[in-house]
Amino acid sequence: FRAAFGRRVAVIHSALSLSERLDEYKRIRRGEVDVVVGTRSAVFAPLEQLGLIIVDEEQEHTYRSEKSPRYDAGEVARLRARHHHGLCVLASATPSIESAYRAQKGEYLLARLTERYGGVPLPEVTILDLRERPMAAEALSEELCEQLMQNLGCGEQSILFVNRRGYSATATCMSCHRPLECPHCSISLKFHAANGRLMCHYCGYSTEVPKACPHCGSRLMRYSGVGTQKVEEALKMRFPTARILRMDQDTTMRKDSHQKLLSAFGRGDYDILIGTQMVTKGLDFPRVTLVGVLTPDQMLYADDFRSYERTFSLITQVVGRSGRAKEPGFAIIQTTDPDNPVLNLAAAQDYDAFFEQEIAYRKLGLYPPFCGLCVIGFAGAKENEVARAAARFSALLGQQAAKQPDLPLRILGPTPGSIEKINDTYRYKLTVKCRNDRRFRDLVRAALALYEKEKLPSKASVVVDLHSDGDI
């Protein structure tokens, strides 16, 4: 953008210092900027004559802020475009189900790109059944290793996607079969070979690897699961002369490290790029002709009604990194569930068929876009108090709803959070299926007022997170 528009471009993102962000903000306010490029918070840039907002990769859940103030940048973009009588473009190779549904109904104008840039064909994709294939190394099938060897011989580059950083997923005692868990979070510790320690990916706790199980004293420990570090080690043993680059949260902590690593790969300084979700989108390297997807199965069965949608999007996007120039592209998806329709539709890059399947599931289960969702979270230091506070709020909400029998509402829970404890704080949630309109929001406000009147916030803090059903 700076190459096209020069100094009249501002950049806003969290990696900038406070003074840098203030300088950019002042330039925008003074009218010295025509284009603002940035992450989620850039949607609030103080442009006076706003004519166009582009939300790239609009399906990404990271557009929702998980901290106060809680907002959805996509919704804010649509509201700002409406306010300024401008245009909001939601761009994606795999649009969210909600956006595609509104386009189908004619609420959004649908513009399709029916072929890749330059007219290059889509990559050829193979799904490998790991139950029947020999493994050459940790998480690497013989077929994938053969393709990597062929790419190395031709001087072409490869990308491997692993949906977990670290070395091993869990350390488990083989005597009592209990995993080593974080003392502050209800989640297992992950082994990191770089520092030889067990670490928690939620609160940052780390500890030395114990010589014996803290539960039963056994010295028989098993490390299972695969992370980016383990794949990197296996590749170095199998291809000792290959130049391997790993990109995950551990290697991109320093300022500008993300861009420096990608620039080095783009220059051809590396042959193989291993990474987590940060390597699945937006990369355009003409020498990449092979993509490997190593562990997609765990994404399919996450505790989220959008798990199929996110898996389809991730695989479709990362497969699309291959063969973007003259040379044909190939991709290999390794799985223990080769007949899964989500994986097969992603391999075929068939978004329309996936949408028809997913929208039928959403309608049957009454999920967005057929309703709104309101997730009310409760957090506190004592689990029993948090559970009681959540149950009391549920009762208060039910009492308010009883006053409006014509207001459609389904209250589910309360239940423990998907990760019940994080950093010594217990979490419960209440899920409400509703229509996100003024009546419902007033109902929630009334329940919150009663909750505060009973002094329950001293037992458990409460956060309301509304997921729109599309009506803003």
Side-chain angles (χ1 to χ4, degrees):
F1 276 90
R2 280 179 172 153
F5 302 105
R7 282 282 301 162
R8 298 193 67 81
V9 175
V11 178
I12 298 177
H13 55 78
S14 59
L16 298 176
S17 66
L18 290 176
S19 61
E20 288 172 328
R21 273 186 274 180
L22 179 60
D23 289 342
E24 294 291 77
Y25 184 88
K26 288 180 176 178
R27 288 181 60 226
I28 299 169
R29 289 283 290 180
R30 290 195 298 262
E32 299 172 5
V33 170
D34 297 319
V35 179
V36 177
V37 180
T39 50
R40 185 171 56 211
S41 60
V43 74
F44 297 109
L47 292 164
E48 294 296 331
Q49 296 180 336
L50 185 58
L52 173 66
I53 304 177
I54 299 175
V55 184
D56 195 23
E57 303 290 358
E58 67 89 19
Q59 82 286 353
E60 281 297 313
H61 69 280
T62 48
Y63 279 117
R64 293 191 63 84
S65 172
E66 295 183 354
K67 297 180 180 179
S68 183
R70 292 172 180 263
Y71 66 94
D72 185 321
E75 288 187 13
V76 175
R78 296 194 293 275
L79 283 166
R80 286 205 69 185
R82 182 185 297 173
H83 176 75
H84 289 275
H85 305 288
L87 175 67
C88 180
V89 176
L90 306 178
S92 175
T94 54
S96 68
I97 297 298
E98 292 89 337
S99 294
Y101 180 70
R102 285 169 208 128
Q104 187 184 71
K105 290 174 63 181
E107 296 175 16
Y108 293 171
L109 175 65
L110 178 63
R112 284 182 177 270
L113 298 178
T114 56
E115 60 180 33
R116 286 174 123 191
Y117 177 76
V120 296
L122 291 170
E124 179 183 324
V125 184
T126 300
I127 296 180
L128 289 182
D129 185 353
L130 292 185
R131 298 170 301 179
E132 301 176 354
R133 305 294 177 113
M135 301 300 289
E138 189 70 51
L140 300 172
S141 64
E142 283 287 357
E143 286 89 340
L144 180 56
C145 285
E146 289 173 5
Q147 286 290 334
L148 287 169
M149 179 65 77
Q150 184 175 331
N151 255 29
L152 290 169
C154 296
E156 295 170 358
Q157 294 176 303
S158 308
I159 294 177
L160 299 183
F161 167 52
V162 186
N163 196 40
R164 180 181 281 125
R165 66 186 174 103
Y167 190 82
S168 296
T170 57
T172 306
C173 174
M174 296 184 67
S175 296
C176 67
H177 305 292
R178 295 177 66 178
L180 300 183
E181 292 189 337
C182 173
H184 308 291
C185 307
S186 55
I187 193 167
S188 61
L189 296 168
K190 308 298 186 285
F191 177 65
H192 285 245
N195 57 13
R197 297 176 70 85
L198 294 170
M199 299 180 64
C200 175
H201 290 175
Y202 283 83
C203 71
Y205 170 83
S206 73
T207 182
E208 294 181 352
V209 178
K211 295 180 180 179
C213 173
H215 305 296
C216 69
S218 172
R219 292 179 176 270
L220 299 174
M221 304 297 294
R222 180 183 65 187
Y223 295 89
S224 59
V226 176
T228 50
Q229 288 184 15
K230 200 167 190 178
V231 173
E232 180 185 26
E233 181 183 279
L235 283 171
K236 287 180 177 178
M237 293 181 65
R238 181 67 185 245
F239 308 107
T241 61
R243 298 167 299 170
I244 300 169
L245 174 64
R246 174 166 58 90
M247 281 192 65
D248 54 28
Q249 192 173 333
D250 297 324
T251 63
T252 57
M253 295 179 67
R254 294 183 179 180
K255 185 177 180 180
D256 299 328
S257 58
H258 187 276
Q259 187 57 45
K260 288 177 181 177
L261 293 176
L262 288 179
S263 296
F265 187 72
R267 290 193 304 266
D269 296 348
Y270 296 93
D271 303 308
I272 302 173
L273 171 63
I274 312 164
T276 51
Q277 294 186 20
M278 62 179 67
V279 304
T280 61
K281 303 179 185 70
L283 305 185
D284 187 12
F285 298 119
R287 291 176 54 198
V288 172
T289 56
L290 175 64
V291 164
V293 181
L294 303 191
T295 54
D297 300 25
Q298 59 191 357
M299 299 186 294
L300 287 168
Y301 308 111
D303 182 20
D304 187 345
F305 75 93
R306 289 191 173 93
S307 60
Y308 279 9
E309 179 183 352
R310 289 175 179 167
T311 303
F312 177 86
S313 176
L314 274 173
I315 294 178
T316 301
Q317 297 268 13
V318 72
V319 164
R321 301 310 101 201
S322 177
R324 299 178 68 85
K326 295 180 181 179
E327 298 299 325
F330 300 90
I332 294 176
I333 301 173
Q334 298 185 160
T335 176
T336 56
D337 189 8
D339 298 322
N340 189 288
V342 177
L343 298 181
N344 281 273
L345 291 172
Q349 308 269 292
D350 191 345
Y351 178 84
D352 290 336
F354 172 75
F355 171 80
E356 293 300 329
Q357 171 187 282
E358 186 67 12
I359 201 71
Y361 291 157
R362 298 282 184 92
K363 189 173 185 178
L364 185 65
L366 190 59
Y367 283 103
F370 300 102
C371 73
L373 281 184
C374 178
V375 180
I376 305 167
F378 305 85
K382 296 181 179 180
E383 182 180 9
N384 59 341
E385 290 185 351
V386 176
R388 282 201 295 265
R392 181 56 185 156
F393 186 92
S394 178
L396 293 172
L397 189 64
Q399 291 172 11
Q400 296 301 307
K403 299 176 183 179
Q404 303 183 57
D406 61 329
L407 183 64
L409 206 68
R410 291 188 186 181
I411 302 175
L412 308 176
T415 60
S418 54
I419 301 176
E420 187 174 348
K421 183 176 72 168
I422 294 180
N423 205 11
D424 293 320
T425 300
Y426 290 92
R427 311 188 310 159
Y428 274 67
K429 66 179 180 180
L430 198 66
T431 303
V432 184
K433 294 184 177 181
C434 58
R435 181 171 179 81
N436 183 9
D437 56 13
R438 184 178 297 276
R439 289 179 64 199
F440 174 73
R441 291 192 290 270
D442 288 344
L443 185 148
V444 173
R445 289 190 189 98
L448 285 169
L450 293 172
Y451 184 84
E452 187 171 354
K453 189 175 182 180
E454 295 187 13
K455 302 189 185 311
L456 288 170
S458 63
K459 306 294 184 183
S461 62
V462 59
V463 172
V464 177
D465 193 6
L466 275 167
H467 296 245
S468 173
D469 56 359
D471 297 323
I472 59 173

